[in-house]
Amino acid sequence: MDKENEKLISELYGIRGGLSLISEQYDAVYNLENDNKKVNEEINLFNEEIEHQKEVAYYSVSSAKLNLSRFDSDSNRNKFETPNIKGVVIAAIVFFAILAYGIYNLVMFANEMMVIVFSSFAAAVVIAALTVLIVVFTLRKKKNKKRERLAGKLKQAEMRYKEDEQIIEEASIEPNRKMKKQIEGNEALIKQHILEASKIKQSIINSFGNTISESDWVNIDLIIFYFQSGRAISLRDALQLVDRQRQTEAIIAEIKHASEEICYEIRSGLNAVKEQIKFSFEILSVQLARQHVDIINQIDTTNRLLNALNIKADISCEQLVSQSTYLNRIYRQQIQT
């Protein structure tokens, strides 16, 4: 393989190294998003438990309301069995008026014996009427006291519930605050990782934009494989082979085979082009520094890229590009809102 092709392959590995760095950002975002899902589930479960505690606390209120409601329902159903006080009083007044009128007529127009007989009968009726009045008033008073007692229990239950509800709410504030703060912290980190991924991608474009089009990054594994297997001697030849393969169903197996070969080469140490790759990584490192990529600050950038390349060796370029596209889409949405 001539020097020019070695340089080309090293630059393709440089792009793969940059995409591997982006893939690490993707992993971080994925983990943080999953963590947020778990925390949200914990918040939902916690709040469900809080609502359950409120329901338990409200049981005494419900029970007191039910007792009062049953009492009122029974009272309404039995209203004809327990005479209305106003009605009884009015009936008594009418009765006594009629009785007084009868006695008056007897005194004025009847003999003494009839007066005595009628007076005795009237006295008995009066005593009976007074007894009925006393019984009615007593029953009504007991009924009113019982209702007041039930209403009092309801009021006490409602007051206790308000106190318990306040205690439950106050006890839930701090746990909810901590979990929401954790989510906010994760969301801030997600934004940071997405921004880093955007900077890395721009650094790749700035470094190797003239080597290969971004639309062909997905084919890098195949292109390197075609060079290393001798099936292509130029980038143009490799891209034509890719186009032909993509027109057949064999492309899936070809990509898988190429990715496995690239993974093997990376795991083997890339001895044939290692020095050239380091040079490509140095070019990319300059662009990363210019983009102020935080993840490469205070460390050896070349080794960082080599490590990322090695860690992501078993992931195809198709997957790497897909992950990069996903993060870039989120980044675009963020800057538009």
Side-chain angles (χ1 to χ4, degrees):
M1 187 182 299
D2 59 31
K3 295 291 183 182
E4 188 64 28
N5 283 344
E6 284 184 2
K7 179 176 179 295
L8 172 62
I9 290 174
S10 71
E11 289 179 350
L12 295 178
Y13 273 116
I15 295 172
R16 205 182 202 283
L19 290 173
S20 298
L21 276 183
I22 293 175
S23 181
E24 290 182 348
Q25 305 307 301
Y26 174 87
D27 290 344
V29 169
Y30 178 83
N31 291 333
L32 288 166
E33 285 179 342
N34 277 344
D35 188 45
N36 275 356
K37 287 179 182 177
K38 291 178 182 178
V39 176
N40 273 318
E41 288 174 0
E42 289 176 9
I43 289 174
N44 290 335
L45 288 173
F46 179 77
N47 287 332
E48 285 176 7
E49 176 60 25
I50 292 297
E51 290 304 313
H52 175 67
Q53 290 179 17
K54 288 180 181 179
E55 288 174 4
V56 171
Y58 193 73
Y59 175 77
S60 59
V61 177
S62 299
S63 179
K65 280 186 175 180
L66 181 61
N67 290 336
L68 184 59
S69 175
R70 284 175 177 172
F71 178 82
D72 288 339
S73 179
D74 291 342
S75 297
N76 290 331
R77 189 167 56 250
N78 302 326
K79 62 183 178 179
F80 294 109
E81 298 175 15
T82 306
N84 184 276
I85 289 178
K86 286 184 179 180
V88 171
V89 171
I90 292 171
I93 292 171
V94 172
F95 171 75
F96 285 124
I98 294 172
L99 186 62
Y101 179 73
I103 292 171
Y104 170 77
N105 285 331
L106 281 173
V107 171
M108 295 298 295
F109 305 108
N111 60 43
E112 185 177 348
M113 181 57 70
M114 288 183 65
V115 171
I116 292 170
V117 172
F118 186 80
S119 297
S120 299
F121 174 74
V125 172
V126 168
I127 292 171
L130 289 173
T131 302
V132 170
L133 278 175
I134 291 169
V135 170
V136 169
F137 274 106
T138 302
L139 290 174
R140 191 68 179 183
K141 189 175 182 180
K142 285 182 178 180
K143 186 176 179 180
N144 289 340
K145 282 186 176 180
K146 186 174 181 179
R147 194 185 189 287
E148 287 174 4
R149 186 169 65 254
L150 291 173
K153 286 183 177 180
L154 174 58
K155 188 174 181 180
Q156 289 176 355
E158 287 175 337
M159 289 175 65
R160 282 197 303 270
Y161 171 69
K162 286 182 179 179
E163 292 173 358
D164 292 342
E165 184 183 34
Q166 186 176 357
I167 292 170
I168 293 169
E169 286 286 353
E170 289 175 354
S172 70
I173 291 173
E174 185 60 21
N176 265 316
R177 187 191 66 80
K178 285 183 178 179
M179 288 186 284
K180 288 177 181 178
K181 187 176 181 181
Q182 183 179 348
I183 289 175
E184 290 172 358
N186 285 347
E187 287 176 346
L189 288 174
I190 287 171
K191 287 183 179 180
Q192 182 179 341
H193 285 297
I194 290 172
L195 178 60
E196 292 291 281
S198 175
K199 291 178 180 178
I200 296 168
K201 182 178 181 180
Q202 190 58 49
S203 298
I204 297 171
I205 293 171
N206 292 346
S207 299
F208 309 115
N210 294 328
T211 301
I212 188 172
S213 170
E214 182 184 341
S215 61
D216 287 318
W217 287 1
V218 70
N219 301 315
I220 284 176
D221 287 347
L222 280 172
I223 294 169
I224 294 174
F225 173 66
Y226 290 151
F227 271 106
Q228 291 179 337
S229 62
R231 293 169 64 181
I233 57 174
S234 69
L235 180 59
R236 183 178 179 182
D237 290 341
L239 290 173
Q240 287 176 345
L241 280 171
V242 170
D243 288 338
R244 284 199 293 270
Q245 285 292 346
R246 287 200 175 275
Q247 293 173 11
T248 70
E249 294 181 358
I251 187 64
I252 297 175
E254 189 84 341
I255 290 172
K256 185 175 183 296
H257 181 55
S259 297
E260 289 172 351
E261 288 295 320
I262 299 306
C263 178
Y264 175 77
E265 286 292 326
I266 293 171
R267 297 281 196 239
S268 300
L270 298 165
N271 294 324
V273 289
K274 190 170 186 177
E275 293 305 316
Q276 286 279 18
I277 289 174
K278 283 185 177 180
F279 178 72
S280 294
F281 282 171
E282 287 172 2
I283 295 173
L284 181 55
S285 298
V286 172
Q287 292 298 326
L288 289 170
R290 287 177 179 173
Q291 290 291 327
H292 304 289
V293 178
D294 294 335
I295 62 168
I296 57 91
N297 285 350
Q298 301 176 351
I299 62 172
D300 186 335
T301 310
T302 299
N303 286 335
R304 180 76 170 81
L305 286 162
L306 283 169
N307 287 337
L309 186 67
N310 189 60
I311 291 169
K312 299 292 181 177
D314 58 346
I315 299 179
S316 70
C317 258
E318 272 197 328
Q319 290 174 282
L320 295 176
V321 171
S322 175
Q323 292 172 355
S324 174
T325 302
Y326 172 77
L327 295 181
N328 191 61
R329 183 169 62 252
I330 298 176
Y331 174 71
R332 295 298 176 192
Q333 291 172 351
Q334 287 179 354
I335 62 177
Q336 286 174 2
T337 56

